[in-house]
Amino acid sequence: AIEKSIRSIIGPVVERSVTIARMSTRELIIKDFATEPDENKMRNAANMMVQNLASSLANVFSKDSLLVNIDTNLRTILQNILVNNPPVDSQLIDQAVTQISSDNIDMACKIIEKAAIDKAIA
């Protein structure tokens, strides 16, 4: 469920994050390093900035929709598994879904952040 949720949003989130991070970094580096004679200093600053911006933007753009997707996918899986078993209280399913989602949301966001960082410096 978590993998399916990540796969469903990773492409658009990474693309959007990296595009914004690259444009912002370009403008900031041009402004802040206009008088800097050392090109390596400028390049290193640009690389660090685009990585940090892309990572942060990916986290912001993905967290809410990822949480909703994980909840939906987990709920579907649990209901399909439990359909042929004795009835289970829906409150118990809700608690399980909430706990699993909150336990794994940070890890899922880190995967998306890592993909954004990798694409930003590619």
Side-chain angles (χ1 to χ4, degrees), residues 16-117:
R16 183 176 176 198
S17 302
V18 170
T19 300
I20 293 170
R22 284 179 177 165
M23 289 187 311
S24 300
T25 298
R26 182 180 179 275
E27 295 301 318
L28 288 168
I29 291 296
I30 287 172
K31 177 185 157 290
D32 291 350
F33 287 85
T35 60
E36 177 61 52
D38 187 358
E39 186 178 322
N40 287 329
K41 214 181 239 188
M42 182 177 68
R43 185 173 288 122
N44 288 338
N47 282 336
M48 288 183 352
M49 185 182 294
V50 77
Q51 288 176 34
N52 286 323
L53 280 173
S55 173
S56 296
L57 288 168
N59 189 339
V60 168
F61 293 151
S62 67
K63 198 162 210 157
D64 290 338
S65 59
L66 192 55
L67 193 56
V68 169
N69 282 351
I70 291 172
D71 279 357
T72 303
N73 290 333
L74 277 173
R75 191 173 315 284
T76 301
I77 289 170
L78 289 175
Q79 287 172 342
N80 288 340
I81 290 171
L82 299 173
V83 76
N84 294 326
N85 293 322
V88 176
D89 184 18
S90 64
Q91 188 177 10
L92 185 61
I93 293 175
D94 291 342
Q95 288 174 346
V97 167
T98 301
Q99 185 65 46
I100 293 168
S101 296
S102 62
D103 286 350
N104 290 287
I105 189 67
D106 289 334
M107 181 264 316
C109 284
K110 290 292 181 197
I111 292 170
I112 294 173
E113 288 175 30
K114 176 71 171 123
I117 290 171

